[in-house]
PDB file of all heavy atoms in Angstrom:
ATOM      1  N   ARG V   1      -0.008   4.377  -6.913  1.00 96.00           N
ATOM      2  CA  ARG V   1       0.657   5.526  -7.538  1.00 96.00           C
ATOM      3  C   ARG V   1      -0.335   6.360  -8.346  1.00 96.00           C
ATOM      4  O   ARG V   1      -0.246   7.598  -8.384  1.00 96.00           O
ATOM      5  CB  ARG V   1       1.802   5.040  -8.423  1.00 96.00           C
ATOM      6  CG  ARG V   1       3.000   4.514  -7.642  1.00 96.00           C
ATOM      7  CD  ARG V   1       4.187   4.263  -8.555  1.00 96.00           C
ATOM      8  NE  ARG V   1       3.951   3.140  -9.453  1.00 96.00           N
ATOM      9  CZ  ARG V   1       4.195   1.870  -9.147  1.00 96.00           C
ATOM     10  NH1 ARG V   1       4.672   1.561  -7.949  1.00 96.00           N
ATOM     11  NH2 ARG V   1       3.985   0.907 -10.033  1.00 96.00           N
ATOM     12  N   ALA V   2      -1.298   5.682  -8.992  1.00 96.00           N
ATOM     13  CA  ALA V   2      -2.271   6.410  -9.808  1.00 96.00           C
ATOM     14  C   ALA V   2      -3.232   7.233  -8.954  1.00 96.00           C
ATOM     15  O   ALA V   2      -3.629   8.327  -9.358  1.00 96.00           O
ATOM     16  CB  ALA V   2      -3.055   5.420 -10.681  1.00 96.00           C
ATOM     17  N   VAL V   3      -3.600   6.718  -7.785  1.00 95.00           N
ATOM     18  CA  VAL V   3      -4.601   7.418  -6.965  1.00 95.00           C
ATOM     19  C   VAL V   3      -3.962   8.330  -5.931  1.00 95.00           C
ATOM     20  O   VAL V   3      -4.689   9.006  -5.187  1.00 95.00           O
ATOM     21  CB  VAL V   3      -5.530   6.408  -6.258  1.00 95.00           C
ATOM     22  CG1 VAL V   3      -6.231   5.520  -7.260  1.00 95.00           C
ATOM     23  CG2 VAL V   3      -4.749   5.558  -5.237  1.00 95.00           C
ATOM     24  N   ASP V   4      -2.639   8.355  -5.869  1.00 95.00           N
ATOM     25  CA  ASP V   4      -1.972   9.199  -4.877  1.00 95.00           C
ATOM     26  C   ASP V   4      -2.354  10.661  -5.084  1.00 95.00           C
ATOM     27  O   ASP V   4      -2.192  11.218  -6.177  1.00 95.00           O
ATOM     28  CB  ASP V   4      -0.452   9.036  -4.991  1.00 95.00           C
ATOM     29  CG  ASP V   4       0.281   9.759  -3.878  1.00 95.00           C
ATOM     30  OD1 ASP V   4      -0.260   9.825  -2.760  1.00 95.00           O
ATOM     31  OD2 ASP V   4       1.392  10.273  -4.129  1.00 95.00           O
ATOM     32  N   GLY V   5      -2.859  11.271  -4.048  1.00 92.00           N
ATOM     33  CA  GLY V   5      -3.297  12.652  -4.144  1.00 92.00           C
ATOM     34  C   GLY V   5      -4.697  12.806  -4.698  1.00 92.00           C
ATOM     35  O   GLY V   5      -5.241  13.914  -4.702  1.00 92.00           O
ATOM     36  N   ARG V   6      -5.293  11.733  -5.192  1.00 93.00           N
ATOM     37  CA  ARG V   6      -6.653  11.783  -5.742  1.00 93.00           C
ATOM     38  C   ARG V   6      -7.678  11.186  -4.773  1.00 93.00           C
ATOM     39  O   ARG V   6      -8.800  11.654  -4.694  1.00 93.00           O
ATOM     40  CB  ARG V   6      -6.749  11.011  -7.060  1.00 93.00           C
ATOM     41  CG  ARG V   6      -5.577  11.175  -8.009  1.00 93.00           C
ATOM     42  CD  ARG V   6      -5.468  12.559  -8.575  1.00 93.00           C
ATOM     43  NE  ARG V   6      -4.524  12.607  -9.691  1.00 93.00           N
ATOM     44  CZ  ARG V   6      -4.065  13.708 -10.233  1.00 93.00           C
ATOM     45  NH1 ARG V   6      -4.460  14.881  -9.776  1.00 93.00           N
ATOM     46  NH2 ARG V   6      -3.202  13.677 -11.235  1.00 93.00           N
ATOM     47  N   VAL V   7      -7.264  10.130  -4.086  1.00 94.00           N
ATOM     48  CA  VAL V   7      -8.133   9.437  -3.132  1.00 94.00           C
ATOM     49  C   VAL V   7      -7.607   9.731  -1.727  1.00 94.00           C
ATOM     50  O   VAL V   7      -6.390   9.725  -1.506  1.00 94.00           O
ATOM     51  CB  VAL V   7      -8.139   7.916  -3.404  1.00 94.00           C
ATOM     52  CG1 VAL V   7      -8.961   7.172  -2.361  1.00 94.00           C
ATOM     53  CG2 VAL V   7      -8.685   7.643  -4.812  1.00 94.00           C
ATOM     54  N   PRO V   8      -8.489  10.006  -0.761  1.00 94.00           N
ATOM     55  CA  PRO V   8      -8.032  10.314   0.605  1.00 94.00           C
ATOM     56  C   PRO V   8      -7.121   9.230   1.163  1.00 94.00           C
ATOM     57  O   PRO V   8      -7.330   8.029   0.934  1.00 94.00           O
ATOM     58  CB  PRO V   8      -9.344  10.409   1.401  1.00 94.00           C
ATOM     59  CG  PRO V   8     -10.378  10.799   0.388  1.00 94.00           C
ATOM     60  CD  PRO V   8      -9.965  10.118  -0.895  1.00 94.00           C
ATOM     61  N   ASP V   9      -6.109   9.655   1.903  1.00 94.00           N
ATOM     62  CA  ASP V   9      -5.118   8.718   2.435  1.00 94.00           C
ATOM     63  C   ASP V   9      -5.732   7.680   3.367  1.00 94.00           C
ATOM     64  O   ASP V   9      -5.244   6.546   3.442  1.00 94.00           O
ATOM     65  CB  ASP V   9      -4.018   9.491   3.185  1.00 94.00           C
ATOM     66  CG  ASP V   9      -3.090  10.227   2.231  1.00 94.00           C
ATOM     67  OD1 ASP V   9      -3.064   9.869   1.043  1.00 94.00           O
ATOM     68  OD2 ASP V   9      -2.402  11.166   2.678  1.00 94.00           O
ATOM     69  N   ASP V  10      -6.798   8.057   4.084  1.00 93.00           N
ATOM     70  CA  ASP V  10      -7.382   7.099   5.026  1.00 93.00           C
ATOM     71  C   ASP V  10      -8.026   5.911   4.311  1.00 93.00           C
ATOM     72  O   ASP V  10      -8.290   4.883   4.937  1.00 93.00           O
ATOM     73  CB  ASP V  10      -8.400   7.784   5.939  1.00 93.00           C
ATOM     74  CG  ASP V  10      -9.518   8.461   5.162  1.00 93.00           C
ATOM     75  OD1 ASP V  10      -9.464   8.458   3.917  1.00 93.00           O
ATOM     76  OD2 ASP V  10     -10.437   9.010   5.796  1.00 93.00           O
ATOM     77  N   ARG V  11      -8.276   6.041   2.992  1.00 94.00           N
ATOM     78  CA  ARG V  11      -8.811   4.909   2.244  1.00 94.00           C
ATOM     79  C   ARG V  11      -7.702   3.983   1.748  1.00 94.00           C
ATOM     80  O   ARG V  11      -7.992   2.880   1.294  1.00 94.00           O
ATOM     81  CB  ARG V  11      -9.611   5.413   1.027  1.00 94.00           C
ATOM     82  CG  ARG V  11     -10.859   6.208   1.328  1.00 94.00           C
ATOM     83  CD  ARG V  11     -11.932   5.319   1.946  1.00 94.00           C
ATOM     84  NE  ARG V  11     -12.167   4.121   1.168  1.00 94.00           N
ATOM     85  CZ  ARG V  11     -13.005   4.065   0.116  1.00 94.00           C
ATOM     86  NH1 ARG V  11     -13.645   5.154  -0.276  1.00 94.00           N
ATOM     87  NH2 ARG V  11     -13.204   2.929  -0.518  1.00 94.00           N
ATOM     88  N   LEU V  12      -6.467   4.435   1.800  1.00 95.00           N
ATOM     89  CA  LEU V  12      -5.373   3.701   1.171  1.00 95.00           C
ATOM     90  C   LEU V  12      -4.426   3.049   2.172  1.00 95.00           C
ATOM     91  O   LEU V  12      -3.463   2.402   1.776  1.00 95.00           O
ATOM     92  CB  LEU V  12      -4.572   4.644   0.265  1.00 95.00           C
ATOM     93  CG  LEU V  12      -5.378   5.391  -0.808  1.00 95.00           C
ATOM     94  CD1 LEU V  12      -4.469   6.359  -1.552  1.00 95.00           C
ATOM     95  CD2 LEU V  12      -6.024   4.416  -1.783  1.00 95.00           C
ATOM     96  N   GLY V  13      -4.700   3.234   3.465  1.00 94.00           N
ATOM     97  CA  GLY V  13      -3.784   2.716   4.477  1.00 94.00           C
ATOM     98  C   GLY V  13      -3.578   1.217   4.379  1.00 94.00           C
ATOM     99  O   GLY V  13      -2.437   0.722   4.409  1.00 94.00           O
ATOM    100  N   ALA V  14      -4.678   0.454   4.271  1.00 94.00           N
ATOM    101  CA  ALA V  14      -4.565  -1.003   4.207  1.00 94.00           C
ATOM    102  C   ALA V  14      -3.807  -1.448   2.964  1.00 94.00           C
ATOM    103  O   ALA V  14      -2.996  -2.378   3.018  1.00 94.00           O
ATOM    104  CB  ALA V  14      -5.958  -1.634   4.230  1.00 94.00           C
ATOM    105  N   ALA V  15      -4.045  -0.787   1.851  1.00 96.00           N
ATOM    106  CA  ALA V  15      -3.363  -1.163   0.607  1.00 96.00           C
ATOM    107  C   ALA V  15      -1.868  -0.903   0.703  1.00 96.00           C
ATOM    108  O   ALA V  15      -1.047  -1.723   0.279  1.00 96.00           O
ATOM    109  CB  ALA V  15      -3.970  -0.402  -0.565  1.00 96.00           C
ATOM    110  N   ARG V  16      -1.495   0.244   1.250  1.00 96.00           N
ATOM    111  CA  ARG V  16      -0.075   0.561   1.373  1.00 96.00           C
ATOM    112  C   ARG V  16       0.616  -0.399   2.338  1.00 96.00           C
ATOM    113  O   ARG V  16       1.744  -0.852   2.090  1.00 96.00           O
ATOM    114  CB  ARG V  16       0.086   1.999   1.846  1.00 96.00           C
ATOM    115  CG  ARG V  16      -0.244   3.020   0.768  1.00 96.00           C
ATOM    116  CD  ARG V  16      -0.288   4.417   1.293  1.00 96.00           C
ATOM    117  NE  ARG V  16      -0.465   5.406   0.219  1.00 96.00           N
ATOM    118  CZ  ARG V  16      -0.973   6.601   0.373  1.00 96.00           C
ATOM    119  NH1 ARG V  16      -1.355   6.993   1.587  1.00 96.00           N
ATOM    120  NH2 ARG V  16      -1.111   7.420  -0.643  1.00 96.00           N
ATOM    121  N   THR V  17      -0.066  -0.724   3.420  1.00 95.00           N
ATOM    122  CA  THR V  17       0.499  -1.682   4.376  1.00 95.00           C
ATOM    123  C   THR V  17       0.706  -3.037   3.719  1.00 95.00           C
ATOM    124  O   THR V  17       1.734  -3.699   3.924  1.00 95.00           O
ATOM    125  CB  THR V  17      -0.427  -1.814   5.588  1.00 95.00           C
ATOM    126  OG1 THR V  17      -0.548  -0.542   6.233  1.00 95.00           O
ATOM    127  CG2 THR V  17       0.132  -2.820   6.586  1.00 95.00           C
ATOM    128  N   LEU V  18      -0.276  -3.460   2.913  1.00 95.00           N
ATOM    129  CA  LEU V  18      -0.168  -4.763   2.252  1.00 95.00           C
ATOM    130  C   LEU V  18       0.999  -4.796   1.278  1.00 95.00           C
ATOM    131  O   LEU V  18       1.742  -5.775   1.219  1.00 95.00           O
ATOM    132  CB  LEU V  18      -1.479  -5.089   1.534  1.00 95.00           C
ATOM    133  CG  LEU V  18      -1.468  -6.382   0.717  1.00 95.00           C
ATOM    134  CD1 LEU V  18      -1.146  -7.582   1.608  1.00 95.00           C
ATOM    135  CD2 LEU V  18      -2.785  -6.576  -0.002  1.00 95.00           C
ATOM    136  N   VAL V  19       1.157  -3.742   0.483  1.00 96.00           N
ATOM    137  CA  VAL V  19       2.267  -3.711  -0.478  1.00 96.00           C
ATOM    138  C   VAL V  19       3.603  -3.839   0.250  1.00 96.00           C
ATOM    139  O   VAL V  19       4.486  -4.601  -0.165  1.00 96.00           O
ATOM    140  CB  VAL V  19       2.222  -2.414  -1.313  1.00 96.00           C
ATOM    141  CG1 VAL V  19       3.508  -2.243  -2.110  1.00 96.00           C
ATOM    142  CG2 VAL V  19       1.024  -2.429  -2.245  1.00 96.00           C
ATOM    143  N   GLU V  20       3.737  -3.104   1.343  1.00 95.00           N
ATOM    144  CA  GLU V  20       4.985  -3.170   2.105  1.00 95.00           C
ATOM    145  C   GLU V  20       5.173  -4.543   2.736  1.00 95.00           C
ATOM    146  O   GLU V  20       6.249  -5.138   2.667  1.00 95.00           O
ATOM    147  CB  GLU V  20       4.971  -2.084   3.179  1.00 95.00           C
ATOM    148  CG  GLU V  20       6.231  -2.052   4.023  1.00 95.00           C
ATOM    149  CD  GLU V  20       6.197  -0.961   5.082  1.00 95.00           C
ATOM    150  OE1 GLU V  20       5.199  -0.203   5.120  1.00 95.00           O
ATOM    151  OE2 GLU V  20       7.147  -0.887   5.873  1.00 95.00           O
ATOM    152  N   ARG V  21       4.101  -5.060   3.367  1.00 95.00           N
ATOM    153  CA  ARG V  21       4.212  -6.353   4.051  1.00 95.00           C
ATOM    154  C   ARG V  21       4.451  -7.482   3.066  1.00 95.00           C
ATOM    155  O   ARG V  21       5.280  -8.380   3.306  1.00 95.00           O
ATOM    156  CB  ARG V  21       2.921  -6.613   4.849  1.00 95.00           C
ATOM    157  CG  ARG V  21       2.884  -7.979   5.511  1.00 95.00           C
ATOM    158  CD  ARG V  21       1.770  -8.050   6.528  1.00 95.00           C
ATOM    159  NE  ARG V  21       0.464  -7.838   5.943  1.00 95.00           N
ATOM    160  CZ  ARG V  21      -0.270  -8.811   5.395  1.00 95.00           C
ATOM    161  NH1 ARG V  21       0.197 -10.045   5.335  1.00 95.00           N
ATOM    162  NH2 ARG V  21      -1.466  -8.552   4.911  1.00 95.00           N
ATOM    163  N   ALA V  22       3.749  -7.456   1.936  1.00 95.00           N
ATOM    164  CA  ALA V  22       3.908  -8.522   0.957  1.00 95.00           C
ATOM    165  C   ALA V  22       5.320  -8.525   0.378  1.00 95.00           C
ATOM    166  O   ALA V  22       5.910  -9.589   0.162  1.00 95.00           O
ATOM    167  CB  ALA V  22       2.884  -8.365  -0.155  1.00 95.00           C
ATOM    168  N   GLY V  23       5.857  -7.327   0.135  1.00 93.00           N
ATOM    169  CA  GLY V  23       7.205  -7.263  -0.397  1.00 93.00           C
ATOM    170  C   GLY V  23       8.221  -7.897   0.524  1.00 93.00           C
ATOM    171  O   GLY V  23       9.128  -8.616   0.082  1.00 93.00           O
ATOM    172  N   VAL V  24       8.048  -7.667   1.831  1.00 94.00           N
ATOM    173  CA  VAL V  24       8.977  -8.252   2.804  1.00 94.00           C
ATOM    174  C   VAL V  24       8.753  -9.760   2.923  1.00 94.00           C
ATOM    175  O   VAL V  24       9.712 -10.545   2.910  1.00 94.00           O
ATOM    176  CB  VAL V  24       8.811  -7.569   4.165  1.00 94.00           C
ATOM    177  CG1 VAL V  24       9.706  -8.244   5.208  1.00 94.00           C
ATOM    178  CG2 VAL V  24       9.143  -6.085   4.070  1.00 94.00           C
ATOM    179  N   ARG V  25       7.477 -10.174   3.032  1.00 94.00           N
ATOM    180  CA  ARG V  25       7.193 -11.601   3.257  1.00 94.00           C
ATOM    181  C   ARG V  25       7.673 -12.459   2.094  1.00 94.00           C
ATOM    182  O   ARG V  25       8.199 -13.562   2.299  1.00 94.00           O
ATOM    183  CB  ARG V  25       5.678 -11.805   3.466  1.00 94.00           C
ATOM    184  CG  ARG V  25       5.290 -13.281   3.741  1.00 94.00           C
ATOM    185  CD  ARG V  25       5.926 -13.761   5.009  1.00 94.00           C
ATOM    186  NE  ARG V  25       5.693 -15.173   5.273  1.00 94.00           N
ATOM    187  CZ  ARG V  25       6.506 -16.151   4.916  1.00 94.00           C
ATOM    188  NH1 ARG V  25       7.638 -15.870   4.254  1.00 94.00           N
ATOM    189  NH2 ARG V  25       6.232 -17.400   5.229  1.00 94.00           N
ATOM    190  N   LEU V  26       7.517 -11.979   0.877  1.00 92.00           N
ATOM    191  CA  LEU V  26       7.923 -12.780  -0.277  1.00 92.00           C
ATOM    192  C   LEU V  26       9.433 -12.873  -0.409  1.00 92.00           C
ATOM    193  O   LEU V  26       9.952 -13.780  -1.069  1.00 92.00           O
ATOM    194  CB  LEU V  26       7.319 -12.192  -1.557  1.00 92.00           C
ATOM    195  CG  LEU V  26       5.793 -12.301  -1.676  1.00 92.00           C
ATOM    196  CD1 LEU V  26       5.302 -11.604  -2.928  1.00 92.00           C
ATOM    197  CD2 LEU V  26       5.352 -13.774  -1.685  1.00 92.00           C
ATOM    198  N   LYS V  27      10.157 -11.940   0.224  1.00 92.00           N
ATOM    199  CA  LYS V  27      11.616 -12.001   0.188  1.00 92.00           C
ATOM    200  C   LYS V  27      12.165 -12.926   1.268  1.00 92.00           C
ATOM    201  O   LYS V  27      13.302 -13.392   1.162  1.00 92.00           O
ATOM    202  CB  LYS V  27      12.203 -10.596   0.367  1.00 92.00           C
ATOM    203  CG  LYS V  27      11.976  -9.671  -0.819  1.00 92.00           C
ATOM    204  CD  LYS V  27      12.549  -8.287  -0.544  1.00 92.00           C
ATOM    205  CE  LYS V  27      12.294  -7.338  -1.702  1.00 92.00           C
ATOM    206  NZ  LYS V  27      12.813  -5.963  -1.433  1.00 92.00           N
ATOM    207  N   LEU V  28      11.371 -13.141   2.309  1.00 92.00           N
ATOM    208  CA  LEU V  28      11.820 -14.004   3.402  1.00 92.00           C
ATOM    209  C   LEU V  28      11.579 -15.465   3.057  1.00 92.00           C
ATOM    210  O   LEU V  28      11.079 -15.796   1.980  1.00 92.00           O
ATOM    211  CB  LEU V  28      11.089 -13.613   4.687  1.00 92.00           C
ATOM    212  CG  LEU V  28      11.422 -12.207   5.226  1.00 92.00           C
ATOM    213  CD1 LEU V  28      10.511 -11.855   6.393  1.00 92.00           C
ATOM    214  CD2 LEU V  28      12.879 -12.119   5.644  1.00 92.00           C
TER     215      LEU V  28
END
């Protein structure tokens, strides 16, 4: 959230994927 719009999106793809994946995996 802090780097949104500050750091290019192509640098943040893995991080965003991890946040989404981790949220789902920990709920399962």
Side-chain angles (χ1 to χ4, degrees):
R1 288 189 291 274
V3 302
D4 187 33
R6 319 292 192 192
V7 176
D9 287 341
D10 58 356
R11 295 291 309 275
L12 305 176
R16 287 171 174 156
T17 299
L18 176 59
V19 169
E20 181 180 358
R21 175 167 61 86
V24 176
R25 181 62 185 93
L26 292 176
K27 290 178 182 178
L28 294 173

